[in-house]
Each structure stands twice: as structure tokens, then as C-alpha cells.
Amino acid sequence: MGQLEITALLTPILVLLINTGIYIYLGSRTANKQQLNAIILYLLLFSFLLNLAWEMLQMPFFKNMHWNWQSTIFCAFASLADTLMVLLLYNIFALVNKDVKWVLSITSSKFILLSAIGGIGAILAELRHLRAGSWSYTELMPIIPFVNVGLVPVLQFMFLPIIIFRLTARFIKQ
């Protein structure tokens, strides 16, 4: 695993700014800002916790990742970035659907679209980080043919956002 460089922070900062702008816009357009805030809070909570668990569990697939504080902190930072990307997915779907409550009634077509967008985004992110030397894989990592990126991080973004959105919907409906 390479060192966390300042350039690696540019994408999360940009995504944070985009999310903030979309949140302000959505907040000005919704009648129930309290529900929007609850959805965002649950998304942030579930996203960070599930992504942190995934990041920690996938350590054996990455070189120089060990069960120590340095790797744990690296995984926590990666989970924060992942959380911002999940929030971006939510915000984009809220804009497209013109509905901040879209997570409360996710259709199967939205599941498929979310999974496809998550997978493509993960592939692009992996390609960028591998080229930059941010990390590399161990021999345990299954590699996706043609794109030559690890399957485990791609699956993370194909499935975790859907689980996160479902959990959020369940807690909001209660």
C-alpha cells in the first residue's frame, strides 16, 4: 500500500463540495427538510459503518495491509471517501427523480442501475489508484478480466450502496 498523498484528498473534497451544493438545493426544494436530514444522517451512519467493515475485511487482498493502527486509519479514511460517494449516489438519484424520499421505494430497475453505476465507478477508481500506486493487490485478489482491477472493491460498490439505502429506508419508515 502506498502512502496517502494530498492528491488523493482532492476527489473526496470535490465530492464533499458537490454533495453540499446538492444538499442545499434539495433542502430548498423539499417541504420536509427534517425527513431529508434524517435520510442523510442514516445514510452517513450506515455507509461509514458498513464501508469500514468491508475495508477492514478486505485487507488480506491488499499488499502491506495489516491489522494495525496505520491500516485501520487508512481504512477509516477510505470509508469516509466511500461514504461521500454513497451520498453522491443518493443526491444524484434525488435530483434525477426530483424526490428526496426516493430511497423509501426503490424499484428493481433502480437496484440494477445503482449496482451498475457503483461497479463502473469502482472500476474507474481502482484504475486511478492502481496507476497512482496508492495500493496494490495480493495474490488472493480475484482480478476482473479486461479491466484488470480487483473484484472485491468493485463488489463493495455494487452491493453496499443498495444495502445502505435499504437500511436507511427501513429506519426512516419506522
Side-chain angles (χ1 to χ4, degrees), residues 43 76 90 99 127 132 138:
L43 285 176
Y90 164 79
D99 181 13
L127 288 170
T138 66

Side-chain angles (χ1 to χ4, degrees), residues 49-115:
L49 292 175
L50 290 175
N51 277 294
L52 181 59
W54 190 289
E55 295 288 346
M56 298 294 288
L57 290 171
Q58 74 178 353
M59 276 200 278
F61 297 98
F62 290 88
K63 289 184 180 173
N64 301 318
M65 292 294 287
H66 308 286
W67 293 95
N68 58 33
W69 281 108
Q70 182 181 1
S71 293
T72 302
I73 290 169
F74 185 87
C75 287
F77 277 115
S79 298
L80 285 173
D82 296 339
T83 296
L84 291 174
M85 296 308 288
V86 170
L87 188 58
L88 184 62
L89 274 174
Y90 164 79
N91 281 326
I92 290 170
F93 271 70
L95 285 174
V96 169
N97 292 300
K98 297 179 181 160
D99 181 13
V100 298
K101 298 181 291 183
W102 70 268
V103 295
L104 302 179
S105 57
I106 300 177
T107 62
S108 56
S109 61
K110 283 184 186 147
F111 274 134
I112 293 167
L113 187 57
L114 280 166
S115 186

Side-chain angles (χ1 to χ4, degrees), residues 138-154:
T138 66
E139 64 283 347
L140 296 174
M141 178 68 79
I143 302 297
I144 300 172
F146 305 111
V147 291
N148 295 319
V149 300
L151 177 63
V152 176
V154 173

